[in-house]
Amino acid sequence: MTAIETGKAALRNEMKKVLAGIAKDERKRQSTRIVEKLISLPQYQQSRRISLYLSTEDEPDTLPLLRKIFDAGKEAFVPRYRGKVMEMVKLHSMEDFESLPLTKWNIKQPHFRDDRENALQGGGLDLIVLPGMAFTINGKRLGHGMGYYDKFLHECISSQEKKPHLIALAFNEQVKEEIPTTEKDVDLDMVLTEKDVQ
């Protein structure tokens, strides 16, 4: 294991404890404010095709955002994992979301048998809303260590004429001074917390 890998593993362990220590009410308060800020951004307002993660309790809640996307007549795409590959596939409505099966990680995910539009084989994406374990103000991101998002972002950016906006949603407690990264890690355009636009 390299020094960077060791540093990432140590930071992930630290962040698991930090995230576990955030009270439920505080998570909800921050999540509400973060989504409000996101939907007020021109990057969101000008985007038609948006991918977002379906949140766990350790992440800013994206369910209100999903509702806003449908209410605004925009298109929503969510992750579907198969082996070591993640694709973004289309969700059609909140009813569609409610009917999704749960994965072993207790996250809703479209079934592999479902015939759904793949974002990159359709019209691409205008905005990608990302999760993570920790972030820096200037857009560095520490993921969960599987590399799903970084692989997807490289594929997405290389396959589209125009690069999508890359915006992470983060609790205040997830913003760090520095994060160990490699050339495989994709920098984000913005890290959005409830405090201010980072």
Side-chain angles (χ1 to χ4, degrees):
M1 194 180 268
T2 67
I4 287 178
E5 287 168 341
T6 304
K8 284 185 174 186
L11 184 52
R12 281 191 191 98
N13 287 333
E14 176 194 328
M15 292 311 300
K16 279 178 191 166
K17 292 174 191 161
V18 168
L19 289 166
I22 306 173
K24 196 172 179 180
D25 287 353
E26 177 63 9
R27 289 168 199 261
K28 187 169 183 188
R29 186 191 71 77
Q30 288 193 40
S31 291
T32 300
R33 183 78 186 106
I34 293 164
V35 170
E36 284 171 0
K37 290 176 74 169
L38 177 66
I39 64 173
S40 72
L41 292 174
Q43 293 95 319
Y44 170 82
Q45 292 170 4
Q46 292 159 13
S47 294
R48 301 299 308 160
R49 295 166 62 87
I50 300 170
S51 88
L52 70 160
Y53 62 95
L54 297 176
S55 51
T56 66
E57 62 178 21
D58 288 337
E59 298 168 328
D61 185 6
T62 58
L63 200 52
L65 174 58
L66 186 61
R67 286 195 190 94
K68 297 277 188 193
I69 289 171
F70 288 131
D71 288 347
K74 299 176 186 284
E75 296 178 76
F77 295 83
V78 298
R80 179 161 69 181
Y81 302 90
R82 196 190 313 239
K84 297 194 174 181
V85 177
M86 177 182 79
E87 59 182 353
M88 290 291 174
V89 296
K90 191 167 187 175
L91 264 191
H92 301 288
S93 64
M94 288 309 296
E95 292 73 27
D96 187 14
F97 164 77
E98 295 295 347
S99 72
L100 295 180
L102 286 171
T103 66
K104 63 181 178 185
W105 298 294
N106 210 31
I107 302 170
K108 284 180 175 283
Q109 174 178 291
H111 199 281
F112 298 116
R113 288 194 298 270
D114 292 356
D115 184 19
R116 293 177 181 269
E117 179 188 335
N118 180 315
L120 301 191
Q121 291 164 6
L125 290 165
D126 302 315
L127 166 63
I128 300 176
V129 177
L130 295 103
M133 295 287 289
F135 307 90
T136 64
I137 286 171
N138 63 352
K140 293 196 183 310
R141 171 183 170 270
L142 178 74
H144 290 271
M146 304 298 286
Y148 286 118
Y149 265 93
D150 287 308
K151 283 179 204 155
F152 176 79
L153 292 177
H154 282 294
E155 183 186 357
C156 182
I157 291 165
S158 65
S159 71
Q160 295 188 192
E161 281 184 28
K162 188 179 176 204
K163 178 178 171 280
H165 303 293
L166 307 178
I167 300 179
L169 308 185
F171 294 123
N172 299 325
E173 294 82 354
Q174 290 179 279
V175 178
K176 308 296 284 181
E177 285 288 313
E178 196 47 63
I179 287 174
T181 55
T182 69
E183 67 284 349
K184 288 181 184 174
D185 297 310
V186 178
D187 285 351
L188 311 180
D189 300 315
M190 187 183 295
V191 175
L192 204 59
T193 69
E194 58 100 20
K195 282 186 174 172
D196 47 27
V197 175
Q198 306 268 1

